[in-house]
Amino acid sequence: MKNTIQPPIAKKIPKALQVHNDTRIDNYYWLNDKENPETIAYLNAENAYTKQMMQHTEGFQKDLFEEMKARIKEDDTSVPYKLNGYWYITRFEKGSDYPIYARKKESLEAEEEILFDCNRMAQGLAYFNLGSIAISPNNKLAAFSTDTVSRRQYTIQIKNLETAEVYADKILNTTGSVTWANDNKTLFYAMKDEVTLRSFKIFKHKLHTETNEDIEVFHETDDTFNTFVYKSKSRKYIIIGSSSTLSSEYRILNADTPDGDFKIFQKRITDLEYNIAHFNDAFYIISNIDKATNFKLSKTSSTTTEKEFWEDVIPHRKNVLIEDIEIFKNFLVVNERENGLNKLRIIKWDGSEDYYLPFNSETYTTYIGTNPDFNSDTLRYGYSGLTHPNAIIDYNLKTKQSEIKKEQAVLGGNFKKENYKSQRLWATARDGVKIPISLVYKKGVKLNGKNPLLQYAYGSYGSTIDPSFSTIRLSLLDRGFIYAITHIRGGEYLGRDWYENGKLLTKKNTFTDFIDCSKYLIEQKYTSSKHLYAYGGSAGGLLMGAIINMNPELYNGILAAVPFVDVVTTMLDDTIPLTTGEYDEWGNPNEKEFYNYMKSYSPYDNVEAKHYPNMLVTTGLHDSQVQYWEPAKWVAKLRELKKDHNKLLLHTDMDSGHGGASGRFESLKEVALEYAFILDLEGISA
């Protein structure tokens, strides 16, 4: 029976956008106005159309949701960690969407003290997120932040943990992060610009004073920088940081003297990136100084912090990226990345030991966990693989003994690690560079080109997508899908150069790498163009838009979540959140060279009258990262120009933002929709 459901057609109101003697006509610019009832009507019409087109899968979506939910341990509890005399625990109760934050004094056998029950706090709200909790040094107060809109503008409040009273102090429009001085009455926080949402000022608040009396202690005037504030692990310093994509700067203040003046650690220098950590009378600095592309570790006295005093502790190595450090009283732990894989290096301060924890898997991820206690001899770290559920492990730095404190439970009775296989492949890009691919699938898959395969990537900001376990993904693997993570340029999987060669005027490497990996997977018979699906979100959504403009014939279906697709228009509008801070990533289109390059790949600007794959595009009305209108305009333009009868669906969550739904189970409904979309294209309905 012929499909008689007609998609909504957005009206066209041509708007000329002129720069550099170039004119672009945007017929759907009017969708930028969220206050326009016609905009909301159009989004609602698209939602209704998506619901109609997916109506035959609603039972399947429900089954997928229940299946994914059934694998999750509902009454789950985090591994406790100890800080300042208390054990802190996060737990979920059966049937609840939100966490409960609790603590126990000195012993895990002590009576539980509930700090925050987010299920109660979220009652009656379409969206709720508890941003952060900061406990005062005397353990009596908790500063906490909440977002009830999903625009990442947090309100800070203070709770008396002895009386449960929430004080009248209420600080609006912050990043959500709070830092206590050691006097138990002074708080530092970062304020956001109301329009751009850039964190641009640091304020100091005194307990029980009016927030309009808060003192501004730092103003970041460079609109390409964001600012933030935190306390050193040693608890001795309040630290204000400022960072752009390529430069950073820190200011320090003794946490015992919150009314003193902050001192600049090292003045910002273009292209100098550094991070600092305090230990004893010294600071340790991870930086790219002296052309240390993959970063090196230096040390300096707390009284002479300028770069000319920095002394090498771990020198730069061409093939090893230093990502992070963790400082203990007797040991230094360094998180390094070599050939794409994380390694944890253990160094004793007296120089008597220097070794790596052994990891034998072909593709895995590991990371330094929560280690707030300086005096501990136990390193807590995480380990995961595509076939290995997430594990939290305590490693005794003295005895070298490991204890798995918790391994992610996979309920439902069907999962066994040995039934799945993971591997790492290397595809050759068109310029001869080898691109790694992490794969997972159920054993027994035959390489005959008939397997459905979901290819995922991000590829921007130097963000590395490590191969980790997902209980949700099992719903695809158990139905015959292969899942592939392509570690394309623009991320940092193979070091800092991997990132540098996938940004600015080399950004197209990100797109061609993904396409070349797709071709390799087809050539090697893992799949075929009839069964290949691609998925990306945010900047990964830009990737999706670029690949379907370049090689739409390679893919049967596309999942594009909160996609950044109107690159030129957004990067020309410095009133939009994030724009100015991202010139170092994409380029500044006010400069003609960057404008032309950006325009040559911007998905919205390059939609053509041709065949496109089946597509499901998702967004959130309150998205602060990628505004809802980008995917809305993109879909409208695709509808106008595409020459095929493939599915093109837009789903807008009218209650959420960039991160999607806030509840742990509610978000599974979004995944169920996405999975049902591609499974339906494969003719799989159960």
Side-chain angles (χ1 to χ4, degrees), residues 132 134 143 156 158 171 174-183 185-191 201-207 214-218 228-231 237-240 252-262:
S132 67
I156 294 171
I158 300 158
I171 308 167
T174 77
T175 62
S177 180
V178 197
T179 302
W180 288 95
N182 290 341
D183 63 356
K185 64 180 182 181
T186 306
L187 292 162
F188 294 87
Y189 62 91
M191 179 71 72
K201 290 182 179 180
I202 303 296
F203 281 89
K204 177 172 60 180
H205 174 76
K206 297 288 186 180
L207 205 59
D214 289 359
I215 297 171
E216 180 184 310
V217 295
F218 176 64
F228 50 93
V229 62
Y230 65 100
K231 185 183 277 189
Y237 288 97
I238 305 292
I239 302 173
I240 293 175
I252 58 175
L253 173 67
N254 191 306
D256 291 332
T257 57
D259 293 326
D261 294 325
F262 282 85

Side-chain angles (χ1 to χ4, degrees), residues 533-586:
Y533 301 87
Y535 174 51
S538 194
L542 160 62
L543 171 65
M544 296 299 101
I547 65 168
I548 63 167
N549 282 335
M550 296 167 74
N551 287 92
E553 76 284 353
L554 289 176
Y555 308 96
N556 189 42
I558 299 289
L559 297 173
V562 291
F564 174 40
V565 285
D566 191 11
V567 184
V568 179
T569 306
T570 289
M571 293 305 297
L572 281 168
D573 187 350
D574 60 13
T575 68
I576 294 176
L578 304 183
T579 292
T580 55
E582 302 203 349
Y583 289 156
D584 289 334
E585 177 72 23
W586 311 105

Side-chain angles (χ1 to χ4, degrees), residues 141-198:
L141 303 169
F144 66 101
S145 59
T146 55
D147 174 13
T148 58
V149 177
S150 188
R151 199 150 169 82
R152 301 185 183 181
Q153 291 172 284
Y154 290 87
T155 298
I156 294 171
Q157 295 174 271
I158 300 158
K159 181 178 181 179
N160 185 317
L161 298 178
E162 296 180 320
T163 66
E165 177 189 2
V166 176
Y167 293 151
D169 314 54
K170 188 176 277 193
I171 308 167
L172 307 180
N173 191 35
T174 77
T175 62
S177 180
V178 197
T179 302
W180 288 95
N182 290 341
D183 63 356
N184 298 294
K185 64 180 182 181
T186 306
L187 292 162
F188 294 87
Y189 62 91
M191 179 71 72
K192 287 192 167 187
D193 182 284
E194 288 275 10
V195 177
T196 68
L197 302 190
R198 180 175 70 93

Side-chain angles (χ1 to χ4, degrees), residues 92-129:
F92 287 90
E93 292 183 344
K94 192 168 185 177
S96 69
D97 250 333
Y98 296 94
I100 296 169
Y101 294 92
R103 68 178 183 178
K104 296 182 178 184
K105 190 170 184 179
E106 294 298 345
S107 167
L108 288 171
E109 308 306 316
E111 184 179 351
E112 179 185 72
E113 174 189 351
I114 292 179
L115 305 175
F116 298 97
D117 183 344
C118 294
N119 298 287
R120 292 186 177 182
M121 298 169 76
Q123 283 180 0
L125 298 172
Y127 179 91
F128 176 82
N129 183 31

Side-chain angles (χ1 to χ4, degrees), residues 167-337:
Y167 293 151
D169 314 54
K170 188 176 277 193
I171 308 167
L172 307 180
N173 191 35
T174 77
T175 62
S177 180
V178 197
T179 302
W180 288 95
N182 290 341
D183 63 356
N184 298 294
K185 64 180 182 181
T186 306
L187 292 162
F188 294 87
Y189 62 91
M191 179 71 72
K192 287 192 167 187
D193 182 284
E194 288 275 10
V195 177
T196 68
L197 302 190
R198 180 175 70 93
S199 55
F200 74 131
K201 290 182 179 180
I202 303 296
F203 281 89
K204 177 172 60 180
H205 174 76
K206 297 288 186 180
L207 205 59
H208 305 311
T209 64
E210 295 295 327
T211 56
N212 59 12
E213 299 173 2
D214 289 359
I215 297 171
E216 180 184 310
V217 295
F218 176 64
H219 181 186
E220 179 50 75
T221 56
D222 187 329
D223 63 7
T224 67
F225 279 71
N226 288 284
T227 188
F228 50 93
V229 62
Y230 65 100
K231 185 183 277 189
S232 63
K233 183 178 174 179
S234 64
R235 305 181 204 168
K236 186 173 180 179
Y237 288 97
I238 305 292
I239 302 173
I240 293 175
S242 281
S243 67
S244 68
T245 307
L246 297 175
S247 305
S248 45
E249 180 180 75
Y250 290 87
R251 288 165 166 77
I252 58 175
L253 173 67
N254 191 306
D256 291 332
T257 57
D259 293 326
D261 294 325
F262 282 85
K263 172 199 168 188
I264 294 180
F265 188 92
Q266 162 59 47
K267 273 175 60 176
R268 69 188 66 179
I269 298 173
T270 301
D271 296 336
L272 172 62
E273 296 178 71
Y274 70 96
N275 287 307
I276 61 176
H278 175 253
F279 174 56
N280 284 343
D281 294 323
F283 278 92
Y284 288 80
I285 309 111
I286 299 174
S287 79
N288 63 350
I289 195 170
D290 301 327
K291 299 181 180 178
T293 308
N294 277 332
F295 296 87
K296 64 179 178 178
L297 182 65
S298 306
K299 174 185 178 181
T300 193
S301 163
S302 56
T303 57
T304 52
T305 59
E306 293 78 13
K307 64 181 175 62
E308 52 265 30
F309 299 104
W310 298 358
E311 299 176 358
D312 282 7
V313 176
I314 301 176
H316 177 252
R317 291 153 295 166
K318 184 179 179 181
N319 297 319
V320 180
L321 174 70
I322 294 180
E323 292 198 329
D324 193 13
I325 62 170
E326 189 71 76
I327 293 176
F328 296 91
K329 180 176 65 175
N330 298 312
F331 295 88
L332 170 68
V333 180
V334 187
N335 187 352
E336 302 178 349
R337 186 182 294 274

